[in-house]
Amino acid sequence: MKEIIENHNVNHQKIWQTVQAIPYGKVACYGQVADLAGLPGRARLVGKALGNVPKNGWQGERVPWFRVINSQGKISFPVENENFTRQKELLQDEQVVVIGSRIRLAEFQWQPDLAELLFKLDF
DNA sequence: ACCTTGACGGTTC
DNA sequence: GGAACCGCCAAGG
């Protein structure tokens, strides 16, 4: 049988796990997540993986997909897309300032702490 | 097997 | 800031 349907791909799991490490009120770029997940240069894969996040979380923990934006500091969905609105609201709920589709990376980008990473991620 | 499509990114103009 | 271009790689047709 294939209960693997919900298992997907190992890389996706690494990505979900990495995204779970992004703290409340902070954001990270697709490329940044890819690097931290040990998948340098595969930012696009992060987008795909986020499109498949398990609705009820991964290993008992929610995956804060909305904390991932592009390297230009913008929400990647088109503004007319309802996902755009959803992401913007979720971010603002965490006191992240979103102007139009733009977020100031200088202020809100997650600067991962090495010790924290080693603790949370193990691969 | 070939082509297209992305929740992308860096460089350049 | 923004647009064009090219590199990237997994999925799906």
Side-chain angles (χ1 to χ4, degrees), chain A residues 110-122:
Chain A
W110 175 40
Q111 312 288 330
D113 175 83
L114 183 56
E116 173 191 359
L117 277 181
L118 293 177
F119 177 73
K120 291 204 93 168
L121 316 170
D122 50 347

Side-chain angles (χ1 to χ4, degrees), chain A residues 22-29 32 66-69 73 91-99 102-112:
Chain A
I22 306 172
Y24 178 99
K26 290 292 178 183
V27 297
C29 305
Q32 180 184 5
F66 56 88
R67 294 183 190 142
V68 185
I69 63 178
L91 286 171
Q92 291 176 326
D93 285 347
E94 303 190 341
Q95 335 317 320
V96 173
V97 178
V98 187
I99 299 164
R102 184 169 290 287
I103 292 157
R104 290 198 26 184
L105 287 179
E107 185 173 0
F108 295 105
Q109 184 172 28
W110 175 40
Q111 312 288 330

